[in-house]
Amino acid sequence: MMKYNTIHKTGFKVSDISFGCMSLKSDGTENDAIINKAIDGGINLFDTADLYEKGENERLLGNALKGKRKDVFISTKVGNQWRKDGSGWDWNPRKEYILNAVDDSLKRLQTDYIDLYLLHGGTMDDPMDESIETFERLVDMGKIRSYGLSSIRPNVIREFVKRSNIAAVMTQYSYLDRRPEEETLDLLLNKNIGVLARGSMASGLLVDKPASDYLNLKAAEVEKIVNELKNNLPEGRTLQETVMRYVNGHPAVTTAVAGIRTLKQLEDAINTANTLPLMEEERQHLQALWAGNTYSEHR
């Protein structure tokens, strides 16, 4: 049965596994059916961004959620501004841009409010206080219910924790990317800030893709780690269950955001959500199989 965890600063109770919409394409014929089945399966958090397909990902989510808006939480992101010629995007965390972008997202999502609005990146050179003030203003206006940050940079995350009232951080975390275990996850747990963990399958390397270089790991190292994992699966567990349960078994993690494109992937995610958590000794055994990695930049 689906478990729900609270994002403490909002009171939102969100499903243990949530739906990452980025993999859905706007011309997909099954999008509505997949999203409806996700809701039926207990998933209630849907994550998108204005960057994905130049906003079309938000539009398809808005269409699929017609009549169901009150049953779900929407997380979307801002900060990557598409160039007018469509050739790419530029980073823009400024007030004027965010105030315009939120209105565009609301229209595409066909909603009056966004539950969680995330700054989609960030650097130490940003005008952080200006961005934070803008998010606070949007809360006061009722256009968003809470805000946060999508980042893998510990130095940026620390600054937002110090300066703002962020409710949640989305960050990459998996058995192959254990960098957040060093500091970030404990910091957020201690501050009652929710964690949306993305990339729990490490782009498929942990479950079905051939080994390749990943972060600071060479392909041979990835292959060795995955083989060790396969040979040490907790009794009665599949590989997918194990890697997903490893992620959302960390006490800081509120929800694991699964990138879903097909009904089969959705079924796998829901089946995983309905399994028991790893026991602490199982988790410790998995952690001991390799030393883990740490951030080399943005510390």
Side-chain angles (χ1 to χ4, degrees):
M1 187 171 175
M2 183 71 72
K3 180 187 171 197
Y4 295 86
N5 304 305
T6 303
I7 300 177
H8 292 289
K9 292 191 176 182
T10 64
F12 302 161
K13 287 189 181 297
V14 300
S15 46
D16 210 24
I17 290 178
S18 47
F19 195 123
C21 298
M22 182 176 72
S23 299
L24 294 176
K25 297 304 174 190
S26 56
D27 58 358
T29 56
E30 290 188 312
N31 289 338
D32 288 5
I34 293 170
I35 289 170
N36 288 333
K37 191 163 184 178
I39 296 170
D40 291 342
I43 291 175
N44 70 350
L45 176 64
F46 293 82
D47 176 74
T48 180
D50 61 359
L51 178 66
Y52 306 155
E53 276 199 280
K54 301 181 180 174
E56 289 304 307
N57 198 260
E58 288 182 326
R59 199 182 309 281
L60 77 83
L61 181 60
N63 286 333
L65 292 179
K66 279 180 187 173
K68 303 177 182 67
R69 178 66 183 94
K70 292 180 181 176
D71 301 325
V72 300
F73 299 102
I74 294 175
S75 163
T76 191
K77 311 180 197 75
V78 66
N80 294 295
Q81 182 176 15
W82 279 98
R83 299 182 196 124
K84 288 183 178 170
D85 63 5
S87 64
W89 62 86
D90 299 302
W91 177 239
N92 188 350
R94 307 301 306 221
K95 176 180 180 180
E96 183 181 3
Y97 174 65
I98 294 172
L99 290 177
N100 288 325
V102 72
D103 287 336
D104 292 337
S105 287
L106 288 168
K107 284 176 193 166
R108 288 189 292 261
L109 289 163
Q110 301 178 54
T111 184
D112 297 327
Y113 62 93
I114 291 162
D115 298 290
L116 178 62
Y117 203 34
L118 301 173
L119 188 64
H120 201 175
T123 75
M124 292 299 289
D125 298 325
D126 290 347
M128 290 186 193
D129 291 334
E130 179 182 329
S131 301
I132 292 163
E133 179 190 336
T134 308
F135 283 117
E136 290 284 356
R137 180 175 167 187
L138 291 175
V139 172
D140 291 341
M141 295 168 73
K143 292 186 177 184
I144 67 173
R145 297 174 71 191
S146 65
Y147 66 96
L149 180 68
S150 177
S151 178
I152 60 170
R153 298 182 173 190
N155 53 2
V156 173
I157 291 170
R158 271 197 306 271
E159 281 302 308
F160 270 80
V161 168
K162 268 193 257 179
R163 299 187 193 200
S164 76
N165 192 36
I166 53 171
V169 170
M170 176 177 280
T171 198
Q172 182 169 290
Y173 178 44
S174 74
Y175 187 70
L176 273 184
D177 184 1
R178 291 169 53 189
R179 296 175 298 174
E181 292 177 358
E182 183 186 9
E183 173 192 341
T184 309
L185 292 177
D186 288 341
L187 169 66
L188 297 172
L189 178 64
N190 291 335
K191 297 293 185 180
N192 278 329
I193 295 169
V195 175
L196 285 66
R198 63 172 179 83
S200 54
M201 304 292 178
S203 299
L205 291 172
L206 282 167
V207 285
D208 54 15
K209 284 193 180 169
S212 62
D213 292 355
Y214 187 73
L215 301 176
N216 60 328
L217 300 168
K218 297 297 183 188
E221 295 174 286
V222 168
E223 185 173 16
K224 182 180 177 185
I225 292 166
V226 174
N227 284 336
E228 280 288 301
L229 180 60
K230 287 177 179 176
N231 292 329
N232 286 273
L233 292 177
E235 190 175 351
R237 296 277 189 182
T238 67
L239 184 58
Q240 175 159 330
E241 280 174 35
T242 301
V243 296
M244 188 68 87
R245 280 303 183 195
Y246 181 85
V247 168
N248 58 19
H250 193 290
V253 173
T254 315
T255 183
V257 182
I260 294 169
R261 188 181 70 259
T262 66
L263 281 167
K264 174 69 166 62
Q265 290 172 339
L266 173 63
E267 286 162 8
D268 288 345
I270 291 173
N271 288 339
T272 298
N274 290 330
T275 61
L276 292 171
L278 293 177
M279 292 186 289
E280 185 54 33
E281 55 266 36
E282 291 174 331
R283 184 180 175 80
Q284 289 176 1
H285 179 68
L286 294 175
Q287 286 179 315
L289 294 178
W290 78 290
N293 36 15
T294 57
Y295 287 106
S296 56
E297 300 176 301
H298 313 297
R299 298 180 64 86

